[in-house]
């Protein structure tokens, strides 16, 4: 049967193939995400489901395992994939990624810079939004995190997009050598101390361009907003956070879920002013000094806190991501896919 591609030419649909990523919903709604392999099997306490049962079946099929338990098989949506993919660093949640796309006004054909790339979750959303005519440059200080991100992107899309560049290094040091001044439309910073990169970002952004910072704590939010304001190169920064609460809807039993995805991070964004432009003064009520030396001490990266992952755990995540990318290459019929037995 002829393979069907969507309008981007990157996201396959149609019958399942070896190497495809498949999300299985089993008894009691439990999810299993697998990569279809020759001779592969999913073992649970309910029985065994052979991968060969899924090959050739259409998306949305229902198959039964050896114990007679049925599983609904679907290709993962992007939001499903990013929540289950191997992680080297914490990811940007789908609810925050959606806000970033909206607040930064990411558009097809845009030139976008992001740092750091983490596990590649936000990279996938950005690549989809800018399309093949855009350009995404992702900076990551750690080579192992960059490896996980590359593998995750290749797993979902089926190849590494030619309009995506991953630069291993510090954005503050490498940006001016990577992009021309005033040539970048949007910048997204997901890092511990984004204020360290604002000066370089200001040089790279085109007038009217947008910078968005994704930070976890109120101290980070405060410092980056004050730094952006203090440069005099941007509009007044705006900030918010997004909370999502699901609802149980079954007949007349309609109520909010007992659990919700509450605080994950703050977004603060501003637009680049034209060279030499001075924005109208923002009138504020008289108050004490915005911050002092003690506050600055609380703003240091060490005080804010860093997200750590052990080397052993990270090596495991890298192997998982590369195995998934290998399956994607197999599904795409890549002749350069490495031998699985190697």
């Amino acid at each position: 049967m002829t393979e069907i591609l969507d309008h981007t030419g990157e996201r396959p649909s149609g019958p399942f193939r070896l190497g495809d990523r498949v999300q299985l919903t089993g008894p009691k709604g439990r999810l299993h995400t697998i990569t279809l392999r020759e001779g592969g099997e999913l073992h649970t306490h309910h029985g065994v489901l052979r991968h060969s049962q899924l090959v050739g079946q259409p998306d949305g099929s229902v198959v039964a395992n050896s114990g007679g338990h049925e599983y609904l098989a679907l290709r993962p949506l992007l939001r499903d994939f990013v929540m289950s993919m191997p992680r080297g660093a914490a990811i940007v949640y789908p609810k925050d990624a959606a806000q970033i796309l909206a607040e930064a006004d990411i558009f097809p054909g845009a030139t976008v810079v992001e740092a750091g790339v983490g596990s590649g979750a936000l990279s996938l959303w950005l690549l989809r939004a800018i399309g093949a005519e855009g350009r995404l440059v992702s900076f990551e200080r750690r080579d192992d995190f960059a490896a996980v991100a590359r593998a995750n992107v290749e797993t979902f899309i089926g190849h590494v997009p030619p309009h995506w560049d991953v630069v291993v290094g510090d954005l503050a040091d490498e940006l001016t050598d990577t992009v021309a001044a005033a040539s970048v439309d949007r910048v997204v910073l997901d890092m511990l101390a984004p204020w360290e990169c604002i000066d370089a970002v200001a040089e790279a952004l085109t007038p009217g361009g947008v910078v968005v910072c994704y930070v976890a704590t109120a101290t980070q939010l405060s410092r980056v907003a004050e730094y952006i304001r203090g440069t005099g190169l941007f509009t007044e920064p705006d900030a918010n956070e997004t909370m999502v609460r699901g609802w149980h809807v079954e007949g007349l039993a309609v109520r909010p879920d007992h659990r919700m995805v509450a605080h994950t991070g703050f977004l603060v964004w501003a637009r680049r002013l034209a060279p030499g432009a001075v924005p109208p003064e923002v009138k504020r009520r008289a108050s004490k000094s915005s911050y002092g030396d003690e506050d600055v001490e609380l703003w240091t990266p060490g005080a804010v806190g860093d997200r750590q992952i052990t080397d052993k755990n990270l090596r495991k995540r890298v192997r998982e991501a590369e195995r998934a990318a290998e399956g994607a290459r197999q599904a795409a019929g890549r002749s350069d896919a490495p031998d699985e037995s190697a």
Side-chain angles (χ1 to χ4, degrees), residues 223-241:
R223 181 165 187 181
V224 71
E226 291 295 339
Y227 195 98
I228 290 173
R229 184 178 289 126
T231 64
L233 301 175
F234 294 88
T235 60
E236 181 69 11
D238 288 311
N240 67 23
E241 65 176 332

Side-chain angles (χ1 to χ4, degrees), residues 101-228:
L101 297 183
E103 303 293 0
D105 190 33
I106 308 295
F107 58 90
T111 297
V112 180
V113 169
E114 69 161 336
V117 69
S119 300
L122 183 59
S123 303
L124 281 164
W125 292 105
L126 293 172
L127 286 166
R128 172 175 286 182
I130 65 176
E133 300 303 316
R135 181 192 180 196
L136 175 63
V137 182
S138 302
F139 289 84
E140 174 55 56
R141 291 177 176 177
R142 297 186 55 165
D143 186 65
D144 43 12
F145 284 2
V148 172
R150 288 191 190 97
N152 284 333
V153 169
E154 183 177 6
T155 298
F156 187 77
I157 295 180
H159 63 273
V160 177
H163 56 291
W164 182 42
D165 299 314
V166 180
V167 179
V168 178
D170 195 321
L171 178 144
D173 300 328
E174 305 288 344
L175 185 59
T176 55
D177 295 330
T178 306
V179 299
S183 67
V184 176
D185 298 302
R186 308 289 186 258
V187 176
V188 183
L189 302 178
D190 173 20
M191 57 176 59
L192 190 63
W195 50 87
E196 295 177 351
C197 298
I198 294 299
D199 293 334
V201 166
E203 182 178 348
L205 273 175
T206 185
V210 181
V211 58
V212 177
C213 301
Y214 180 63
V215 293
T217 69
T219 49
Q220 289 171 295
L221 173 65
S222 175
R223 181 165 187 181
V224 71
E226 291 295 339
Y227 195 98
I228 290 173

